[in-house]
Amino acid sequence: MEPSSNTMIIQPKTRGFICTTSHPDGCAANVQEQIDYVKSKGPIEGGPKSVLVIGASAGYGLASRIVPAFASGANTLGLFFEKPGTEKKTGSAGWYNTAAFEKAAAAEGLFAKSLNGDAFSHESKAQAIEIIKNEMGGKVDLVVYSLASPRRTDPDTGEVYKSVLKTTGGDYTNKTLNTDKGLVQEVTIGAATEEEITNTVKVMGGDDWELWMNALEGAGVLADGVKTVAYSYIGPELTWPIYTDGTIGRAKKDVEAACARIDAALRETHSGAAFVSVNKALVTQASSAIPVVPLYISILYKEMKAKGNHEGCIEQMQRLFADRLYGGDLALDEAGRIRLDDWEMEPGIQAAVAEAWDRVSTETINELTDFKGYQEEFLKLFGFGLEGVDYGAEADPETAPPSLAG
Ligand code: NAD
């Protein structure tokens, strides 16, 4: 598509834990940084060649698309739910991230096509299968499931389920960070009803992942030796009431149960395998919406940066592909999960986090946490604060992924 003639100066507009504007050139710089990192680590021998990423435009999913493309020359199909920009309004960051990704992939002669739609629908599954059949040599050898969604429309009944972030026990009170104002406050999170738990499992559980794998298998588009991976989180005890033992944790248990079924089926039919990878807590659009977690992340970043083992999404995913999925050492835990939260959960790191947690207040936020780093990372998600980008210059809000440009 030709660049549109409507350009504008784009500044961040944050409201609570969202930023309502995104910068196309900043998002491109962010994607390029990730590509440069992957290239600096060198090729991944035996890595995947034909990859479907569900939830491919931001966070862990975007990194899961960048790594196979630029470390093993993979053709990729990415599915996501993002908003294109218009003459007057910026698009969502994932839209611009994908525009940059597709251009960089094309420059290296890689196939990169995207679908913007609802991953939960039958239609998206059918469209993805058509593209795999007609344009990707008929098979994929890796399927990454990295959705984070607040709601799901059941594809058969049309019923809409909403997920909640609540406990599954009683009320839980702890410190939280007002990331807009830099205030450490107390928050009380109530218990979910049985219906809310069921609905959260419907949205963030393993059902849709399994529907995807069944649809792909039924269409005959899975390669022999195919792998599939979905992402989870566990974290330290202090966040368990809201995460691991909360509604979202119930959904993640359901993802693990689905993983066991998908794995058994893939082993039999394709000598394939399914995995859950437990990743590190990181600033993403999804995690910034969870109470308590942003304060934990701010402290964690400080401790891990001090120790020199801090990672972002791209470092985590590079390690997942290079060392675990295609590196010959899955290093599974007792429950059969890949653990990329190994450095986060190191006893020394967790002891330091727990100590800072007890002492942290609004007054000590800059001393005990990396709140500055948190804020920088948050803005970066939307393409702001990147080196080499002139934020005083006009940018084109209608920048679009070539495969989706109208
Ligand atoms: P994110 O918000 O950065 O990205 C979510 C992706 O899902 C985007 O590409 C978005 O477009 C897509 N999406 C949302 N709804 C969709 C829909 N209906 N149809 C199609 N696409 C849709 O999220 P993230 O933090 O990278 O999370 C991805 C996965 O990683 C989740 O399963 C999450 O639980 C897990 N995880 C996250 C963290 C963390 O700290 N962020 C840690 C461990 C595991």
Side-chain angles (χ1 to χ4, degrees):
M1 191 179 72
E2 288 298 308
S4 71
S5 51
N6 293 294
T7 55
M8 60 203 263
I9 292 176
I10 303 168
Q11 298 293 337
K13 278 195 199 128
T14 49
R15 221 188 297 138
F17 53 77
I18 53 170
C19 178
T20 57
T21 53
S22 318
H23 200 289
D25 304 335
C27 288
N30 192 3
V31 167
Q32 191 57 48
E33 268 185 15
Q34 297 190 45
I35 294 171
D36 292 344
Y37 174 79
V38 170
K39 286 188 169 174
S40 77
K41 300 298 279 185
I44 298 174
E45 298 304 329
K49 292 288 181 198
S50 183
V51 180
L52 168 63
V53 181
I54 301 152
S57 54
Y60 276 118
L62 172 65
S64 307
R65 190 177 192 185
I66 292 173
V67 173
F70 294 94
S72 60
N75 294 331
T76 59
L77 172 59
L79 171 62
F80 45 75
F81 199 51
E82 300 291 348
K83 228 193 281 141
T86 64
E87 261 174 52
K88 297 197 178 71
K89 214 168 172 295
T90 64
S92 53
W95 181 258
Y96 295 142
N97 290 338
T98 304
F101 171 84
E102 282 193 8
K103 283 175 201 157
E108 308 228 343
L110 300 172
F111 172 92
K113 203 158 186 174
S114 307
L115 284 169
N116 190 25
D118 180 10
F120 297 123
S121 69
H122 290 313
E123 195 192 358
S124 289
K125 293 175 177 81
Q127 285 173 343
I129 287 166
E130 277 312 294
I131 292 172
I132 296 166
K133 276 187 176 167
N134 300 329
E135 300 175 65
M136 297 177 77
K139 306 266 185 207
V140 285
D141 56 3
L142 174 67
V143 180
V144 177
Y145 191 84
S146 186
L147 276 197
S149 174
R151 69 185 69 79
R152 172 179 177 206
T153 303
D154 185 294
D156 294 321
T157 64
E159 198 169 333
V160 178
Y161 298 96
K162 287 189 182 144
S163 68
V164 298
L165 291 161
K166 291 190 179 178
T167 75
T168 56
D171 284 358
Y172 159 69
T173 300
N174 211 328
K175 291 174 183 175
T176 196
L177 179 59
N178 177 328
T179 48
D180 228 6
K181 303 198 171 79
L183 302 174
V184 176
Q185 300 166 327
E186 242 184 27
V187 66
T188 298
I189 297 139
T193 61
E194 276 308 315
E195 193 187 354
E196 285 175 321
I197 296 172
T198 308
N199 290 353
T200 305
V201 171
K202 267 267 181 196
V203 180
M204 286 298 286
D207 189 40
D208 184 56
W209 182 25
E210 214 171 345
L211 289 178
W212 267 100
M213 296 312 295
N214 288 340
L216 296 166
E217 149 69 14
V221 297
L222 297 177
D224 277 342
V226 65
K227 291 183 173 81
T228 184
V229 62
Y231 301 135
S232 185
Y233 182 67
I234 296 178
E237 259 177 78
L238 78 89
T239 62
W240 283 2
I242 180 67
Y243 202 99
T244 295
D245 292 340
T247 48
I248 180 75
R250 286 284 185 94
K252 293 300 185 187
K253 281 196 187 80
D254 190 66
V255 171
E256 286 183 32
C259 182
R261 291 190 295 272
I262 297 168
D263 186 67
L266 287 182
R267 271 176 206 285
E268 202 175 305
T269 54
H270 292 81
S271 307
F275 301 99
V276 166
S277 173
V278 180
N279 299 345
K280 177 189 176 186
L282 283 177
V283 183
T284 65
Q285 291 184 49
S287 72
S288 55
I290 308 175
V292 183
V293 168
L295 181 58
Y296 167 72
I297 289 180
S298 301
I299 298 175
L300 180 73
Y301 274 29
K302 184 175 174 81
E303 299 304 335
M304 293 188 80
K305 284 179 183 176
K307 188 154 187 218
N309 63 1
H310 173 70
E311 297 174 297
C313 287
I314 198 67
E315 289 87 355
Q316 281 263 295
M317 294 300 96
Q318 201 279 336
R319 196 151 68 91
L320 172 66
F321 281 67
D323 295 0
R324 305 295 173 83
L325 285 178
Y326 300 96
D329 185 13
L330 288 160
L332 302 178
D333 70 7
E334 71 298 338
R337 299 168 298 210
I338 294 173
R339 301 300 295 262
L340 285 175
D341 62 342
D342 46 356
W343 298 349
E344 167 181 355
M345 298 312 292
E346 272 179 12
I349 293 284
Q350 285 302 323
V353 170
E355 208 250 331
W357 185 270
D358 287 340
R359 293 198 295 133
V360 72
S361 63
T362 302
E363 291 67 40
T364 55
I365 188 143
N366 291 320
E367 175 203 336
L368 296 177
T369 86
D370 184 27
F371 180 47
K372 191 169 159 282
Y374 183 97
Q375 286 175 304
E376 283 168 5
E377 278 291 303
F378 180 76
L379 285 175
K380 224 172 140 176
L381 296 177
F382 303 91
F384 296 107
L386 280 116
E387 248 176 68
V389 177
D390 180 358
Y391 290 97
E394 299 273 325
D396 180 3
E398 292 183 276
T399 300
S403 79
L404 295 172

